[in-house]
Amino acid sequence: MTAPPVAIVAGGGALPLEIARAARAAGREAVLFRIEGEADAEPGDIPHHTLGYGRIGRFFELLAEHGVEEICFAGTIARRPHFSGIAGDLGTIRRLPRILKVLAGGDDGVIRKVLRLFEEEGYRVVGIAEIAPALLAGTGPHGRHHPRAEDRADIALGARFLAAAAPFDVGQAVVAVAGRIVAVEAAEGTDAMLERAASLRRRGRFLAGGRQGVLVKLPKTGQDRRTDLPVVGLATVERAEAAGLAGLALAAGGTLFVERGAALARADGAGLFVEGIEAEAPA
Amino acid sequence: MTAPPVAIVAGGGALPLEIARAARAAGREAVLFRIEGEADAEPGDIPHHTLGYGRIGRFFELLAEHGVEEICFAGTIARRPHFSGIAGDLGTIRRLPRILKVLAGGDDGVIRKVLRLFEEEGYRVVGIAEIAPALLAGTGPHGRHHPRAEDRADIALGARFLAAAAPFDVGQAVVAVAGRIVAVEAAEGTDAMLERAASLRRRGRFLAGGRQGVLVKLPKTGQDRRTDLPVVGLATVERAEAAGLAGLALAAGGTLFVERGAALARADGAGLFVEGIEAEAPA
């Protein structure tokens, strides 16, 4: 007997399709539910549907048609849905009071409430680590380069800062350079923070010699790892390179490292390390 | 007997001149030492000199000529001096080994070392609060508008975050909106952080209804208040307004509130509060 396909609700980025392929490689079929206006992964040969936020009734119908029992959420959401985008089909309207309650508060709050919504409909929400564990960062160096002692000091500083900031449901990343936290991620996301670090460096707003400093990216304390693992890919390496950083530090087993071949080729070529660190935030 | 004039080493912004005027209004003459490439205050009728980083020998000569015993540092420094800008006059070169040691590490570290440098030359470094206490924010509302209950919740959240982040020598400000920290200041400064918050709001990256959210700006834990008090002025109010915020929360007695007439006229007109809060960070 074959396991029923897993549904992947796909936001932006390459991740949803990578998960679908990794799941298939591990013997499990997947169906992509692309969120209109967010998903940009080309589905290729993976079965898929594209639905707007107002098609939640249709979404549950399709889940039933495919015999889906498990749902995995992946990819970025650039915009939170506004009311006007939600007032959609009948199945949406029926769920509207609960959905509106979800659209308030910090990210973690929203995500937990969304999970509960699906669980109460009888579905199991599964993490990426469960259906595509090969995508998680491992421990130690991933590419050719290793952090020096000064890089390890910056990594430790960044990890301590993120541990202190974690209870506040802020971002999951900082840039630490030569003993100083020069950029902290909040609602803008990691890519925008790295671009800021590059701009600050160009304008001489912090001291750095040669390739120096690290991006430290970790899961938040108490974060539900089924839905909101930090993701690093080729664009992250390119932006870290542009910011003059010496490398990236990722939580081993707690960060998704996607587009790995291309990202490591780039890091190796530019002299950047990609280090998996043991930095489990207390649950 | 008249007290000797106080020297004000002037970086960018309106603050240095405001201090000179406030000092004069309180019966104390001031001499402005404008840092070349940084100072932009028009000195008007206040005695002044303009010196590059390489003119440190000349600076100490002028201090002696004016009979100065006390020095106050004020204004922003957009660029840290590089070695090429320092290798200057004889008095600079004599002090070079110590100056170079200063140009490393976090902001707080640098500032403490600069203070010690001057103290060892026989000068007393005085705080703005000492020579121009009228410039400090007071307690409670400064303008016409008052924070609502939801604004007070955002203020408390922002203050808690800054207390947690303070040991890391990061920025002194956050934007909290509807229970969420949406922007954290590090090396980019408060104005750039507010511009980011405005951009995030325009792009729907966080939920806010009407004027909502606050800028919370406090001194860092253990910060030397003689040199690095947070400063808020007209541009801060304008940027908070552009970000759709409901108001600003400043540490009473611990934040400089400059250009106060113009800033409050703007805040009053736009419906923003400017609230002085009791948020003394432990020393």
Side-chain angles (χ1 to χ4, degrees):
Chain A
M1 206 187 87
T2 322
V6 59
I8 298 171
V9 177
L15 178 61
L17 195 55
E18 280 207 42
I19 295 165
R21 296 206 189 289
R24 183 179 273 184
R28 178 82 181 272
E29 203 52 54
V31 184
L32 279 173
F33 288 86
R34 305 172 73 245
I35 301 174
E36 202 170 60
E38 297 287 357
D40 52 17
E42 282 291 320
D45 56 338
I46 307 286
H48 60 277
H49 306 276
T50 303
L51 295 174
Y53 283 117
R55 308 291 304 288
I56 292 169
R58 179 69 184 139
F59 172 59
F60 280 105
E61 286 169 16
L62 287 166
L63 290 180
E65 282 175 25
H66 284 283
V68 161
E69 293 170 5
E70 295 179 327
I71 306 176
C72 176
F73 293 87
T76 58
I77 300 295
R79 308 181 64 85
R80 291 193 183 203
H82 282 276
F83 184 80
S84 60
I86 291 170
D89 66 20
L90 211 68
T92 307
I93 291 166
R94 185 165 65 76
R95 297 174 177 92
L96 209 51
R98 305 214 47 212
I99 293 168
L100 289 178
K101 255 200 278 180
V102 164
L103 297 178
D107 271 351
D108 282 359
V110 169
I111 289 157
R112 283 203 199 94
K113 285 181 228 164
V114 168
L115 292 198
R116 221 177 308 133
L117 212 84
F118 283 99
E119 285 165 352
E120 287 176 13
E121 301 262 359
Y123 294 92
R124 200 165 86 83
V125 176
V126 295
I128 298 166
E130 189 174 335
I131 61 171
L135 299 183
L136 291 171
T139 306
H142 285 66
R144 202 152 56 83
H145 302 285
H146 295 228
R148 302 156 296 181
E150 64 202 88
D151 302 324
R152 295 202 178 278
D154 282 339
I155 292 172
L157 172 65
R160 281 199 308 276
F161 180 88
L162 288 174
F168 294 91
D169 188 8
V170 188
Q172 311 160 301
V174 291
V175 173
V177 182
R180 187 173 172 213
I181 304 278
V182 300
V184 177
E185 176 189 337
E188 74 274 24
T190 304
D191 286 351
M193 181 194 60
L194 284 171
E195 285 167 13
R196 182 164 77 248
S199 160
L200 289 167
R201 182 171 177 150
R202 275 194 303 274
R203 288 180 288 136
R205 292 295 294 267
F206 59 85
L207 283 183
R211 287 223 160 275
Q212 194 168 21
V214 295
L215 167 72
V216 184
K217 193 160 163 77
L218 307 177
K220 284 183 277 189
T221 306
Q223 189 166 359
D224 190 320
R225 298 203 171 179
R226 284 178 298 172
T227 52
D228 198 22
L229 285 176
V231 183
V232 160
L234 175 59
T236 324
V237 170
E238 288 173 343
R239 287 186 167 89
E241 182 189 349
L245 302 184
L248 292 73
L250 318 177
T255 306
L256 291 163
F257 185 17
V258 300
E259 307 164 308
R260 198 171 294 199
L264 286 178
R266 180 79 184 224
D268 285 350
L272 274 72
F273 63 81
V274 179
E275 182 80 1
I277 62 171
E278 300 294 341
E280 294 292 314
Chain B
M1 202 188 88
T2 322
V6 59
I8 298 170
V9 177
L15 179 61
L17 196 54
E18 281 205 41
I19 295 165
R21 296 205 188 291
R24 181 178 277 185
R28 178 82 181 273
E29 202 54 55
V31 184
L32 280 172
F33 288 86
R34 305 171 73 249
I35 302 173
E36 202 170 59
E38 298 287 356
D40 51 16
E42 280 293 318
D45 57 338
I46 306 286
H48 60 277
H49 304 276
T50 303
L51 295 174
Y53 284 115
R55 308 291 305 288
I56 291 168
R58 179 70 185 138
F59 172 59
F60 280 105
E61 286 170 18
L62 286 166
L63 288 180
E65 282 175 25
H66 284 281
V68 160
E69 294 170 4
E70 296 179 324
I71 305 175
C72 177
F73 293 87
T76 57
I77 300 295
R79 307 182 64 85
R80 291 192 183 202
H82 282 275
F83 183 81
S84 59
I86 290 170
D89 66 19
L90 213 67
T92 307
I93 290 166
R94 186 166 62 77
R95 296 174 177 93
L96 210 50
R98 306 215 45 212
I99 293 168
L100 289 179
K101 253 200 276 177
V102 165
L103 298 177
D107 272 349
D108 283 357
V110 170
I111 289 156
R112 281 202 200 95
K113 284 181 231 164
V114 169
L115 293 197
R116 222 177 306 133
L117 212 82
F118 284 98
E119 285 165 353
E120 288 176 14
E121 301 262 358
Y123 294 92
R124 200 166 85 82
V125 177
V126 294
I128 297 165
E130 189 174 335
I131 60 170
L135 299 183
L136 291 171
T139 306
H142 285 65
R144 202 152 56 81
H145 301 284
H146 295 230
R148 302 157 295 180
E150 65 201 88
D151 301 323
R152 293 202 179 280
D154 281 338
I155 291 171
L157 172 66
R160 281 200 307 276
F161 180 88
L162 288 173
F168 294 91
D169 188 9
V170 188
Q172 310 161 300
V174 291
V175 173
V177 182
R180 187 173 171 211
I181 305 278
V182 300
V184 177
E185 176 190 337
E188 74 274 26
T190 303
D191 286 351
M193 180 194 60
L194 284 171
E195 285 167 13
R196 182 165 77 248
S199 159
L200 289 167
R201 183 172 176 148
R202 276 194 302 275
R203 289 180 287 136
R205 292 295 294 265
F206 58 84
L207 282 183
R211 286 222 162 276
Q212 192 168 21
V214 296
L215 168 72
V216 184
K217 193 161 163 78
L218 307 176
K220 283 182 277 188
T221 305
Q223 187 165 2
D224 191 320
R225 296 201 174 183
R226 284 178 298 173
T227 51
D228 198 23
L229 285 175
V231 183
V232 161
L234 175 59
T236 324
V237 171
E238 289 173 342
R239 287 186 167 89
E241 182 190 348
L245 302 184
L248 293 72
L250 318 176
T255 307
L256 292 163
F257 185 19
V258 301
E259 307 163 307
R260 199 173 293 201
L264 285 178
R266 180 76 185 226
D268 286 351
L272 273 72
F273 63 81
V274 179
E275 181 80 1
I277 63 171
E278 300 293 342
E280 294 292 313

